[in-house]
Amino acid sequence: MGITKQYLAYKPSGAFNIIVSPRPNLSFVTYKGVQGRCIATGGAERLLIWDLRIGEKVLEIPNEKEEITVLRPSPDNLHISVGYANGSVQIFDLGSEQSVSSFVVHKTAVSCLRYDSTGLKLLTGGLDTDLVVLDVVAESGLCRLSGHRGPITDAHFLDASGQIVVSCSKDTQIKFWDLETQNCFKTLVDHTTEVWALGLFRDGFLVSGSSETSLNVYRVTPNTKEDAKDLGSFESEAMNPIVVKLLGIIPRTGKGRTIALVSDQDGSILACHGTDNQIELFYFCSRTEALKRLTKRLKKLSVDLAEKKSDVSLFDEVKKLPSIKTQCKIRGIDILLGTNGDLRVVVSSANNFIKLFNLNVKEKNAEPAEIRSLTQIGHHSEVRSVSFSSDNLAIASGSGDSLKIWNRESLKCIRTIYCGAILCTLFVPGDRHVLLGLRSGELVIVNIVVGVIVESIPAHEKELWSICAMPDMKGCISAGGDKTVKFWSYELIQDPESKSQVLSLMHRNTLKLDEVIMCVKISPNNKFIACALLDSTVKIFFRDTLKFYLSLYGHKLPVTSMDISHDSSLIVTGSGDRNVKIWGLDFGDCHKSIFAHDDSVLAVQFIPETHMFFSCGKDGKIKEWDADNFEKISTLPGHHIGEANSLAISPNSLFLVTAGNDKVIRLFEKTDEPIVLEDAHEEEREEVENRILATGDESTIPGMPGLKLPSKKTVGAEKGAESILESLEIGNQFDGSEDKELHPLMRAFDVNNSSDFLLVTISHIRPSDLEESLLLLPFTSVCEIIRKIHSLADKRRDQTELICKVVLFLFRIHQKPIMANHVLYRDIKKMIKKLQEVVQELRDMIGMNYYGLRMIQKQIEEREGVELFKEITKKRQEKERRRKIAMIRKRARDLEA
């Protein structure tokens, strides 16, 4: 075996610059008992929680695979559910910061998440036009609702019981669903354009927002006998549990379609925004407040109130509050109403900032005021350039409006300088100054110690695309869109104001070419200058005489980036034709052309003192290559949203930093973990193969063509089915053997019989994948499982819930074959009897414990004179009081009828 080259792996070390992504919403959360100042947002694939009072990130939960599309905190503020672009949903515990549940329910991105009033059910909507109701406690799906013809945009639980769901879609329809029958019983077709948002408010108000410049307002009430008589011949409407009536419309002053409708915790305030920079606020009055407004209005019109007592209009019930305007377009909002009438409105923008506004809704003529903001933590536009300092401790990043200097260890911004659209950056020797190339063609010198611009030099007439340092560290060269390469030397000049010496650049020479220069590099031996031109060629000139030496041609599109190795023997070029070419600098021959990325290559750079280099492109991927044997070493987890614009490697080659369109700057650190190329390539092939399910994407059952489970088939479900089949096979071999020797897997699970081995195997399957795994089992294996359930139900009473879940699902799916199998009749009869006994025993135990604890609580309260669980008790009493009031009103209406 020959000697193989050893490579060391780069691993993700951190991500910074991102405050909030434009796609997901944001929400107030209660974190560690703090309410009203903590905001949960999505930062690309990471869940971020910001404390607006201290202006810092207090929690970060990463997921290196998929982008966050929507998030929603639970009603008790203990958990937060997060939806991702691949259709999965994860629920995190804010206390332990760990994932407590994971579901894969949609084929495409999750578009909405809603909890019911108890927090036990979670409603998810996806771009695949389906709604899925999840049981958070059992970690399983309850039902899948299909009927919309367009992507789901919003959905809510309509009633406190959580049995009615209302949803809207891009198909212009609003549908009402009964979860008991899993059918749509009512559809509203009042909108002629896509419906983008729904909002539920007190007194049964339902508000919908579409692409029109108005909001539709409906009143939803329970269907009574009187309502059924009014419906007349509409028999299907008379059977509906609710009645929906269109009250009118609320005109919007904002431009564009409605993006979101948000309500406070009591449902009294509506906040909506469109595609502009304005937030409109409306207050839904109570019945008493509406009558007062009606009285005032009629007094102005000199109308007798007794004659118009029942004419309360939508104008009286909805009051417009002052609007809030921001500097940029709004992407997400959330509101929180305090006890004193203080309304807090948090706003996120596509420009990567968060602002918090305050408005007192009880004060007359109150104006909203900005009280908190997160604007200086990250760039407001995409980062175009990154570079390392010579001591590897600082990172400079340039965007369309500013330069930021970051501390590599803490990943915090230490300087921000606003200077214009930056295209390239370079640290000056000494790391006290940074050179910036602007889109305007200016070459700017920035003193990062004091954070000021020292000098702005009009170096080029058009864009300044590239800056490269001289090998002797005494100057630099710049290239731009005016077809010139300019040579500069560092000079110290006298500042007339401060009477001190400051850094400046002295123009030494100019090289004029026939095409726009996209990139320029100088060889480390100070012998050659390479210029990448817009005509897809790379021209190489002698450094001292500026005479033409070589022309590297072969790319089909312009070269966007290039680099020269430390020994000046190789030059690597990346182009818009998606290829990376490795050239010899001595003869200009092409050593290898590599199809590197799925889109244009935007940056390449050699690792110092090696022939290995990194590349990144518009496909968002970051790849490491070996220029000697032309092998791909590894693919790093890159930018999932958009393209990777730039990369930089630290002088000590221990760190790699990349920047992309997702406004995330990612840091990678070199580890001591070796990479074996064959193993790395095999892992990549397995990852690609795992995306393709061996049994297909659809869940089909003979005789049940319309079956739609609330879960989605995954690789985990297939592996779960394989593990069940393997456990059955091992169990049969164990039962059939005379020596009863335990299988290694049985020893690993610490079991000594086949039934316990089967149960342990099933319990290790993720709850969201369990049904799909059972669905893949052949009927013969289903019969074996049913035969073993009887003994399991008697021996393992601690797993009664799991056993019943498996049995009920198998009976529901294989009902007809099981009924036709007379051999299983006795086993089924015994199993049913035993399961009824253990379930009744479990119910009795839970009931006795519950009422025993309540009796102990009552004794403690009487003896100590205190009230345990005061807040929860008050909420329960208030809920009971409201229920009694509703019953009294209903009886009064029945008596009047």
Side-chain angles (χ1 to χ4, degrees):
M1 182 177 178
I3 299 176
T4 59
K5 199 170 183 179
Q6 187 178 19
Y7 306 98
L8 297 180
Y10 283 80
K11 296 294 183 181
S13 178
F16 52 100
N17 183 63
I18 185 70
I19 300 176
V20 56
S21 293
R23 187 171 183 180
N25 63 315
L26 77 167
S27 177
F28 282 101
V29 293
T30 301
Y31 181 67
K32 293 185 177 179
V34 179
Q35 187 179 15
R37 73 187 212 195
C38 291
I39 308 298
T41 67
E45 73 281 359
R46 298 166 182 262
L47 173 64
L48 308 176
I49 294 184
W50 299 91
D51 190 331
L52 297 184
R53 178 172 295 180
I54 62 177
E56 292 184 0
K57 181 169 51 181
V58 294
L59 177 62
E60 178 177 345
I61 302 177
N63 181 356
E64 297 179 357
K65 293 184 178 180
E66 294 296 334
E67 172 200 5
I68 293 177
T69 56
V70 64
L71 54 89
R72 187 71 56 188
S74 61
D76 56 7
N77 285 307
L78 298 178
H79 301 86
I80 185 168
S81 58
V82 181
Y84 294 92
N86 64 344
S88 63
V89 177
Q90 284 192 339
I91 301 177
F92 297 97
D93 189 333
L94 293 177
S96 63
E97 304 177 6
Q98 299 293 325
S99 174
V100 295
S101 299
S102 180
F103 307 91
V104 181
V105 290
H106 295 285
K107 297 179 181 178
T108 53
V110 181
S111 57
C112 70
L113 292 171
R114 296 287 178 184
Y115 280 96
D116 67 342
S117 58
T118 61
L120 302 180
K121 294 178 184 177
L122 179 62
L123 176 64
T124 72
L127 301 184
D128 57 357
T129 73
D130 286 347
L131 291 161
V132 177
V133 182
L134 303 174
D135 189 332
V136 176
V137 178
E139 298 185 34
S140 63
L142 295 178
C143 61
R144 181 180 292 271
L145 308 175
S146 301
H148 281 290
R149 298 192 301 271
I152 305 297
T153 53
D154 204 356
H156 290 266
F157 283 101
L158 193 61
D159 57 343
S161 64
Q163 291 300 317
I164 300 177
V165 168
V166 56
S167 63
C168 63
S169 169
K170 287 186 181 181
D171 61 3
T172 73
Q173 297 178 353
I174 301 174
K175 289 182 177 290
F176 295 84
W177 309 81
D178 188 348
L179 296 187
E180 188 174 352
T181 61
Q182 300 182 17
N183 286 321
C184 172
F185 62 85
K186 188 175 184 61
T187 302
L188 301 181
V189 291
D190 298 327
H191 292 280
T192 58
T193 57
E194 297 92 345
V195 185
W196 290 96
L198 290 176
L200 292 178
F201 303 91
R202 62 182 180 186
D203 295 334
F205 284 107
L206 173 66
V207 181
S208 63
S210 64
S211 299
E212 302 169 354
T213 58
S214 60
L215 304 175
N216 284 18
V217 182
Y218 303 87
R219 189 185 293 279
V220 182
T221 56
N223 194 354
T224 60
K225 295 180 180 179
E226 184 176 338
D227 296 326
K229 291 178 182 178
D230 296 338
L231 292 172
S233 60
F234 293 98
E235 188 174 334
S236 59
E237 293 284 335
M239 298 297 293
N240 290 344
I242 59 172
V243 175
V244 183
K245 181 181 179 182
L246 178 62
L247 298 182
I249 63 172
I250 300 176
R252 290 177 51 238
T253 58
K255 298 179 181 179
R257 66 174 179 87
T258 303
I259 292 182
L261 298 177
V262 181
S263 67
D264 64 320
Q265 58 271 29
D266 295 329
S268 59
I269 295 179
L270 162 66
C272 70
H273 72 94
T275 56
D276 56 356
N277 62 344
Q278 182 179 358
I279 301 174
E280 298 177 72
L281 300 173
F282 301 92
Y283 179 75
F284 284 81
C285 303
S286 63
R287 186 67 179 176
T288 305
E289 293 171 334
L291 288 174
K292 287 182 179 179
R293 286 172 57 85
L294 175 63
T295 304
K296 290 181 180 179
R297 182 165 62 87
L298 294 180
K299 282 183 178 179
K300 291 180 180 179
L301 299 175
S302 301
V303 178
D304 187 9
L305 180 62
E307 299 177 1
K308 301 287 184 180
K309 190 174 182 180
S310 61
D311 292 344
V312 178
S313 65
L314 185 62
F315 177 80
D316 302 315
E317 294 181 306
V318 180
K319 179 174 65 174
K320 186 173 177 58
L321 299 176
S323 299
I324 300 175
K325 289 190 176 182
T326 60
Q327 297 175 352
C328 298
K329 291 184 178 180
I330 301 168
R331 288 302 178 92
I333 60 172
D334 195 22
I335 61 176
L336 183 67
L337 184 61
T339 54
N340 297 326
D342 288 332
L343 178 68
R344 290 198 168 187
V345 182
V346 63
V347 182
S348 68
S349 170
N351 288 354
N352 196 30
F353 67 72
I354 297 175
K355 291 190 176 183
L356 181 65
F357 296 88
N358 186 74
L359 174 67
N360 195 316
V361 296
K362 292 184 178 180
E363 289 184 6
K364 194 174 183 180
N365 301 324
E367 292 295 330
E370 180 182 332
I371 56 176
R372 298 279 188 274
S373 66
L374 288 178
T375 57
Q376 300 297 323
I377 298 178
H379 288 283
H380 295 166
S381 59
E382 63 184 39
V383 179
R384 303 296 303 179
S385 176
V386 288
S387 58
F388 264 103
S389 62
S390 60
D391 58 3
N392 314 293
L393 295 178
I395 301 171
S397 61
S399 67
D401 58 353
S402 62
L403 167 74
K404 287 186 180 291
I405 307 298
W406 307 85
N407 186 309
R408 179 187 53 78
E409 293 182 352
S410 63
L411 301 182
K412 292 184 178 180
C413 179
I414 55 180
R415 286 289 183 275
T416 300
I417 300 98
Y418 293 95
C419 51
I422 301 172
L423 297 179
C424 52
T425 57
L426 176 67
F427 272 94
V428 176
D431 298 332
R432 296 175 62 89
H433 298 81
V434 174
L435 299 181
L436 307 177
L438 304 186
R439 189 176 292 275
S440 61
E442 293 179 302
L443 185 57
V444 179
I445 306 173
V446 177
N447 188 332
I448 61 176
V449 177
V450 295
V452 296
I453 297 176
V454 176
E455 187 179 3
S456 182
I457 304 170
H460 296 269
E461 297 177 358
K462 293 185 179 179
E463 299 91 344
L464 201 164
W465 289 110
S466 179
I467 305 175
C468 180
M470 292 285 192
D472 57 4
M473 300 298 176
K474 294 182 180 180
C476 65
I477 55 177
S478 63
D482 58 355
K483 305 178 184 179
T484 61
V485 178
K486 293 189 177 182
F487 297 79
W488 310 84
S489 63
Y490 301 129
E491 299 288 343
L492 290 176
I493 63 174
Q494 191 78 15
D495 186 8
E497 296 182 1
S498 61
K499 300 292 180 71
S500 61
Q501 289 186 333
V502 296
L503 179 69
S504 181
L505 292 176
M506 185 70 68
H507 182 215
R508 294 298 184 185
N509 205 349
T510 301
L511 173 63
K512 293 184 178 181
L513 297 175
D514 298 332
E515 292 287 344
V516 173
I517 303 152
M518 302 299 297
C519 184
V520 64
K521 288 291 178 181
I522 187 168
S523 61
N525 60 6
N526 204 14
K527 188 177 180 180
F528 302 110
I529 295 174
C531 303
L533 305 183
L534 200 61
D535 61 0
S536 305
T537 63
V538 177
K539 304 290 186 184
I540 300 177
F541 302 87
F542 287 104
R543 163 69 182 87
D544 48 0
T545 62
L546 299 184
K547 289 184 178 180
F548 176 75
Y549 172 57
L550 287 174
S551 179
L552 309 180
Y553 56 91
H555 283 290
K556 297 178 181 178
L557 291 174
V559 174
T560 56
S561 179
M562 61 182 177
D563 196 18
I564 301 175
S565 62
H566 69 286
D567 55 3
S568 303
S569 62
L570 296 177
I571 178 171
V572 59
T573 58
S575 169
D577 59 6
R578 301 179 286 182
N579 288 325
V580 168
K581 291 184 184 292
I582 303 167
W583 314 77
L585 202 56
D586 45 3
F587 299 107
D589 56 326
C590 181
H591 292 182
K592 186 68 174 179
S593 179
I594 305 172
F595 185 79
H597 292 268
D598 298 330
D599 209 331
S600 301
V601 181
L602 297 181
V604 292
Q605 185 175 349
F606 275 105
I607 299 176
E609 306 301 325
T610 69
H611 281 181
M612 295 179 290
F613 65 93
F614 279 96
S615 66
C616 65
K618 283 189 176 181
D619 58 358
K621 296 179 181 178
I622 305 153
K623 298 183 179 181
E624 184 182 4
W625 308 86
D626 191 336
D628 290 332
N629 54 22
F630 318 123
E631 289 279 356
K632 184 181 73 172
I633 301 172
S634 64
T635 301
L636 301 181
H639 299 265
H640 306 291
I641 315 163
E643 57 198 45
N645 294 324
S646 178
L647 63 85
I649 303 172
S650 62
N652 61 3
S653 73
L654 295 180
F655 300 97
L656 167 71
V657 63
T658 64
N661 277 6
D662 55 2
K663 296 185 178 65
V664 182
I665 302 177
R666 303 179 189 274
L667 181 67
F668 300 88
E669 185 176 0
K670 194 175 185 178
T671 63
D672 295 331
E673 179 184 344
I675 295 178
V676 181
L677 293 184
E678 291 78 6
D679 295 345
H681 296 166
E682 183 64 27
E683 289 178 2
E684 289 184 8
R685 284 194 294 268
E686 288 180 359
E687 186 178 354
V688 173
E689 291 175 358
N690 287 339
R691 295 173 187 170
I692 304 174
L693 299 177
T695 56
D697 295 333
E698 298 296 331
S699 301
T700 57
I701 290 294
M704 302 181 69
L707 177 67
K708 285 192 175 181
L709 293 179
S711 57
K712 177 190 171 186
K713 190 188 297 183
T714 62
V715 177
E718 290 185 344
K719 291 181 178 179
E722 291 176 0
S723 63
I724 294 175
L725 293 175
E726 184 182 19
S727 67
L728 291 174
E729 182 180 355
I730 293 173
N732 292 335
Q733 292 176 0
F734 175 79
D735 293 337
S737 62
E738 297 179 357
D739 54 357
K740 300 296 182 182
E741 183 180 356
L742 293 178
H743 191 272
L745 281 177
M746 298 178 70
R747 291 198 189 97
F749 287 135
D750 194 20
V751 294
N752 55 11
N753 59 75
S754 59
S755 299
D756 287 345
F757 182 43
L758 173 63
L759 184 61
V760 171
T761 303
I762 294 176
S763 64
H764 277 75
I765 301 173
R766 192 169 63 176
S768 58
D769 290 333
L770 180 59
E771 291 186 354
E772 292 285 351
S773 299
L774 296 174
L775 198 61
L776 294 172
L777 298 178
F779 183 68
T780 54
S781 301
V782 172
C783 296
E784 291 185 38
I785 294 175
I786 292 176
R787 292 191 186 97
K788 294 183 178 182
I789 289 294
H790 177 262
S791 60
L792 283 173
D794 190 21
K795 297 177 182 177
R796 299 298 302 272
R797 304 201 174 197
D798 57 323
Q799 295 288 345
T800 300
E801 184 179 356
L802 177 62
I803 293 171
C804 292
K805 183 178 180 180
V806 172
V807 169
L808 291 174
F809 181 78
L810 293 178
F811 271 62
R812 181 161 59 93
I813 297 300
H814 302 282
Q815 180 183 4
K816 292 182 180 179
I818 290 175
M819 291 176 62
N821 192 335
H822 299 287
V823 179
L824 290 175
Y825 179 73
R826 291 184 179 180
D827 295 328
I828 293 174
K829 192 174 181 180
K830 293 179 181 178
M831 179 188 65
I832 292 174
K833 185 177 180 182
K834 179 57 67 178
L835 286 177
Q836 288 176 343
E837 292 178 3
V838 297
V839 169
Q840 185 62 40
E841 181 181 344
L842 183 63
R843 291 178 62 186
D844 293 343
M845 180 182 66
I846 293 174
M848 184 182 68
N849 291 341
Y850 174 71
Y851 286 102
L853 289 172
R854 288 194 61 179
M855 184 184 69
I856 295 173
Q857 176 188 349
K858 186 177 181 181
Q859 291 176 352
I860 293 174
E861 289 176 351
E862 291 177 352
R863 184 175 66 252
E864 303 293 339
V866 297
E867 187 176 358
L868 299 179
F869 315 111
K870 186 176 181 180
E871 294 181 359
I872 298 176
T873 305
K874 282 186 176 181
K875 289 182 180 179
R876 183 165 55 84
Q877 291 175 351
E878 180 66 20
K879 187 177 180 181
E880 186 68 20
R881 186 182 67 83
R882 291 179 180 177
R883 188 185 66 82
K884 289 181 179 179
I885 291 174
M887 291 294 296
I888 293 172
R889 289 177 178 175
K890 184 178 179 182
R891 289 173 184 171
R893 286 196 300 266
D894 293 341
L895 291 174
E896 290 177 0

